[in-house]
Amino acid sequence: MDNRTNTIAGWTLAACGLALGLSIVGGMAFHSERPEKMGYAIEGVEAEGGEGGAAEVPIATLLPAADPGKGAEVFKKCAACHTVTQGGANGIGPNLYATMGEGIGQGKGGFAFSDALKGVGGNWDFDKMNAWLTSPRKFAPGTKMTFAGLGNAQDRANVIVYLNAQGSNLPLPAAPAAGAAAPADAKAPEGKDSVTNTDAANNLGNTGTPASGAPSVDPNAAIEGAKAGK
């Protein structure tokens, strides 16, 4: 019985050793690292390295078609900190009734705004509100606002028209003209023709008319000239 017990114990230890070895080898071969690009975006978190992306569409181009009803749905993300009804109480954040057009970091029943936001100055216009909703930390570095921002421009436009409808009702800004022409007094590059954008010297050489009797037109002119010189 002792020999059998020893044999079983030996095989058990060998199996444990083999399993441990395979675990170490497997860990070395299939180690996991954080991928350079995450598989999906997390709502409310700013992506790193966002600078230098596609050009941002001016908010004025999105406001005319913005939907305040959809803005109200997006605003539900803000409702944990803000009220927007007339006479609503301040909470973690200030009441936002009639905010559009109001001084930045002012009023709101004595709400304790951060010095960073109060230092921005000016009033809440459509561009400033768009910048704030895009990234509060970039708009006012040092702000107490912890929300990362809304990455979708159309969501921001919807929220802005919704806020504007809550006691502000400012006229929407005019959308910029599409494909605005270059200034009329813009100069063509030096040495280039302003119409064809080719070398002016080449244009002159191609369009000039040689004088009558020039050697390039009348080869006998050279012979006649030589005779006259004798």
Short mmCIF file of all heavy atoms in Angstrom, two decimals, residues 177-209:
data_model
loop_
_atom_site.label_atom_id
_atom_site.label_comp_id
_atom_site.label_asym_id
_atom_site.label_seq_id
_atom_site.Cartn_x
_atom_site.Cartn_y
_atom_site.Cartn_z
N ALA A 177 -21.74 81.16 -45.67
CA ALA A 177 -22.00 80.81 -47.07
C ALA A 177 -21.11 79.65 -47.48
O ALA A 177 -19.93 79.59 -47.14
CB ALA A 177 -21.73 82.02 -47.96
N ALA A 178 -21.70 78.70 -48.22
CA ALA A 178 -20.93 77.54 -48.67
C ALA A 178 -20.05 77.92 -49.84
O ALA A 178 -20.49 78.62 -50.76
CB ALA A 178 -21.89 76.41 -49.08
N GLY A 179 -18.80 77.47 -49.81
CA GLY A 179 -17.88 77.71 -50.92
C GLY A 179 -17.64 79.17 -51.20
O GLY A 179 -17.72 79.63 -52.34
N ALA A 180 -17.39 79.94 -50.13
CA ALA A 180 -17.15 81.37 -50.32
C ALA A 180 -15.97 81.58 -51.25
O ALA A 180 -14.94 80.91 -51.15
CB ALA A 180 -16.89 82.03 -48.97
N ALA A 181 -16.12 82.55 -52.17
CA ALA A 181 -15.07 82.81 -53.16
C ALA A 181 -13.87 83.47 -52.50
O ALA A 181 -13.99 84.15 -51.48
CB ALA A 181 -15.60 83.71 -54.27
N ALA A 182 -12.71 83.30 -53.09
CA ALA A 182 -11.49 83.92 -52.58
C ALA A 182 -11.60 85.42 -52.78
O ALA A 182 -12.30 85.90 -53.67
CB ALA A 182 -10.27 83.37 -53.33
N PRO A 183 -10.92 86.25 -51.96
CA PRO A 183 -10.96 87.70 -52.11
C PRO A 183 -10.55 88.13 -53.51
O PRO A 183 -9.66 87.54 -54.11
CB PRO A 183 -9.95 88.20 -51.05
CG PRO A 183 -9.88 87.09 -50.05
CD PRO A 183 -10.11 85.82 -50.82
N ALA A 184 -11.24 89.20 -54.03
CA ALA A 184 -11.00 89.64 -55.40
C ALA A 184 -9.60 90.17 -55.59
O ALA A 184 -9.05 90.13 -56.68
CB ALA A 184 -12.03 90.71 -55.78
N ASP A 185 -9.01 90.74 -54.51
CA ASP A 185 -7.68 91.33 -54.65
C ASP A 185 -6.56 90.35 -54.35
O ASP A 185 -5.42 90.75 -54.15
CB ASP A 185 -7.56 92.55 -53.72
CG ASP A 185 -7.77 92.18 -52.26
OD1 ASP A 185 -8.23 91.04 -52.01
OD2 ASP A 185 -7.50 93.03 -51.40
N ALA A 186 -6.89 89.06 -54.28
CA ALA A 186 -5.85 88.06 -54.01
C ALA A 186 -4.85 88.04 -55.15
O ALA A 186 -5.23 88.03 -56.31
CB ALA A 186 -6.48 86.68 -53.84
N LYS A 187 -3.57 88.04 -54.84
CA LYS A 187 -2.52 88.09 -55.84
C LYS A 187 -2.16 86.69 -56.29
O LYS A 187 -2.12 85.77 -55.50
CB LYS A 187 -1.28 88.80 -55.29
CG LYS A 187 -1.51 90.27 -54.96
CD LYS A 187 -0.23 90.90 -54.47
CE LYS A 187 -0.42 92.39 -54.16
NZ LYS A 187 0.82 93.01 -53.66
N ALA A 188 -1.88 86.57 -57.59
CA ALA A 188 -1.41 85.29 -58.10
C ALA A 188 0.03 85.10 -57.69
O ALA A 188 0.75 86.07 -57.42
CB ALA A 188 -1.52 85.27 -59.63
N PRO A 189 0.53 83.86 -57.60
CA PRO A 189 1.93 83.63 -57.24
C PRO A 189 2.86 84.35 -58.19
O PRO A 189 2.57 84.48 -59.38
CB PRO A 189 2.08 82.10 -57.35
CG PRO A 189 0.70 81.58 -57.20
CD PRO A 189 -0.20 82.62 -57.78
N GLU A 190 3.97 84.85 -57.64
CA GLU A 190 4.92 85.61 -58.43
C GLU A 190 5.44 84.79 -59.59
O GLU A 190 5.79 83.62 -59.43
CB GLU A 190 6.09 86.04 -57.54
CG GLU A 190 7.07 86.96 -58.24
CD GLU A 190 8.16 87.42 -57.30
OE1 GLU A 190 8.04 87.13 -56.09
OE2 GLU A 190 9.10 88.06 -57.76
N GLY A 191 5.46 85.41 -60.79
CA GLY A 191 5.95 84.71 -61.97
C GLY A 191 4.90 83.88 -62.65
O GLY A 191 5.18 83.15 -63.58
N LYS A 192 3.63 83.92 -62.16
CA LYS A 192 2.57 83.11 -62.73
C LYS A 192 1.53 84.01 -63.34
O LYS A 192 1.27 85.12 -62.87
CB LYS A 192 1.91 82.22 -61.66
CG LYS A 192 2.87 81.26 -60.98
CD LYS A 192 3.30 80.17 -61.92
CE LYS A 192 4.19 79.14 -61.22
NZ LYS A 192 4.60 78.06 -62.08
N ASP A 193 0.89 83.58 -64.42
CA ASP A 193 -0.19 84.33 -65.02
C ASP A 193 -1.44 84.16 -64.18
O ASP A 193 -1.79 83.05 -63.79
CB ASP A 193 -0.43 83.80 -66.45
CG ASP A 193 -1.51 84.59 -67.15
OD1 ASP A 193 -1.18 85.62 -67.78
OD2 ASP A 193 -2.66 84.17 -67.03
N SER A 194 -2.14 85.26 -63.86
CA SER A 194 -3.28 85.20 -62.94
C SER A 194 -4.47 84.50 -63.53
O SER A 194 -5.39 84.12 -62.82
CB SER A 194 -3.69 86.63 -62.54
OG SER A 194 -4.07 87.37 -63.69
N VAL A 195 -4.52 84.28 -64.85
CA VAL A 195 -5.67 83.63 -65.47
C VAL A 195 -5.40 82.16 -65.70
O VAL A 195 -6.18 81.29 -65.33
CB VAL A 195 -6.04 84.31 -66.80
CG1 VAL A 195 -7.17 83.59 -67.48
CG2 VAL A 195 -6.40 85.77 -66.54
N THR A 196 -4.25 81.86 -66.31
CA THR A 196 -3.96 80.47 -66.66
C THR A 196 -3.12 79.77 -65.63
O THR A 196 -2.96 78.57 -65.69
CB THR A 196 -3.24 80.42 -68.02
OG1 THR A 196 -2.00 81.13 -67.89
CG2 THR A 196 -4.08 81.09 -69.12
N ASN A 197 -2.53 80.54 -64.67
CA ASN A 197 -1.67 79.97 -63.65
C ASN A 197 -0.48 79.25 -64.25
O ASN A 197 -0.01 78.26 -63.73
CB ASN A 197 -2.46 79.02 -62.74
CG ASN A 197 -1.75 78.83 -61.41
OD1 ASN A 197 -1.10 79.74 -60.92
ND2 ASN A 197 -1.89 77.66 -60.83
N THR A 198 -0.01 79.72 -65.40
CA THR A 198 1.21 79.20 -66.03
C THR A 198 2.23 80.30 -66.06
O THR A 198 1.92 81.47 -65.82
CB THR A 198 0.94 78.70 -67.45
OG1 THR A 198 0.38 79.77 -68.21
CG2 THR A 198 -0.05 77.53 -67.45
N ASP A 199 3.46 79.97 -66.39
CA ASP A 199 4.51 80.98 -66.41
C ASP A 199 4.19 82.08 -67.40
O ASP A 199 3.90 81.82 -68.57
CB ASP A 199 5.86 80.35 -66.78
CG ASP A 199 6.36 79.45 -65.67
OD1 ASP A 199 5.90 79.62 -64.52
OD2 ASP A 199 7.20 78.60 -65.95
N ALA A 200 4.23 83.32 -66.92
CA ALA A 200 3.92 84.44 -67.80
C ALA A 200 4.90 84.49 -68.96
O ALA A 200 4.54 84.84 -70.09
CB ALA A 200 3.97 85.75 -67.00
N ALA A 201 6.15 84.15 -68.69
CA ALA A 201 7.15 84.18 -69.75
C ALA A 201 6.79 83.21 -70.86
O ALA A 201 6.96 83.50 -72.05
CB ALA A 201 8.53 83.87 -69.19
N ASN A 202 6.30 82.03 -70.49
CA ASN A 202 5.90 81.05 -71.49
C ASN A 202 4.73 81.55 -72.30
O ASN A 202 4.63 81.32 -73.51
CB ASN A 202 5.53 79.72 -70.83
CG ASN A 202 6.75 79.01 -70.28
OD1 ASN A 202 7.87 79.33 -70.68
ND2 ASN A 202 6.53 78.07 -69.38
N ASN A 203 3.77 82.22 -71.64
CA ASN A 203 2.62 82.75 -72.36
C ASN A 203 3.08 83.73 -73.43
O ASN A 203 2.59 83.74 -74.56
CB ASN A 203 1.66 83.45 -71.40
CG ASN A 203 0.87 82.44 -70.59
OD1 ASN A 203 0.86 81.27 -70.92
ND2 ASN A 203 0.23 82.90 -69.52
N LEU A 204 4.02 84.63 -73.06
CA LEU A 204 4.50 85.62 -74.02
C LEU A 204 5.24 84.94 -75.16
O LEU A 204 5.10 85.31 -76.33
CB LEU A 204 5.43 86.62 -73.32
CG LEU A 204 4.74 87.53 -72.29
CD1 LEU A 204 5.79 88.36 -71.56
CD2 LEU A 204 3.72 88.43 -72.97
N GLY A 205 6.04 83.93 -74.84
CA GLY A 205 6.79 83.26 -75.88
C GLY A 205 5.89 82.51 -76.84
O GLY A 205 6.17 82.40 -78.02
N ASN A 206 4.75 81.98 -76.35
CA ASN A 206 3.88 81.19 -77.19
C ASN A 206 2.96 82.04 -78.05
O ASN A 206 2.47 81.59 -79.08
CB ASN A 206 3.04 80.25 -76.33
CG ASN A 206 3.89 79.17 -75.71
OD1 ASN A 206 4.94 78.83 -76.24
ND2 ASN A 206 3.44 78.65 -74.57
N THR A 207 2.67 83.26 -77.60
CA THR A 207 1.68 84.08 -78.30
C THR A 207 2.30 85.19 -79.11
O THR A 207 1.62 85.83 -79.92
CB THR A 207 0.70 84.70 -77.29
OG1 THR A 207 1.43 85.52 -76.37
CG2 THR A 207 -0.05 83.63 -76.52
N GLY A 208 3.59 85.49 -78.92
CA GLY A 208 4.23 86.58 -79.67
C GLY A 208 4.35 86.26 -81.15
O GLY A 208 4.49 85.10 -81.55
N THR A 209 4.30 87.27 -82.04
CA THR A 209 4.42 87.09 -83.49
C THR A 209 5.81 87.51 -83.93
O THR A 209 6.20 88.67 -83.72
CB THR A 209 3.37 87.93 -84.23
OG1 THR A 209 2.08 87.56 -83.76
CG2 THR A 209 3.47 87.72 -85.73
#
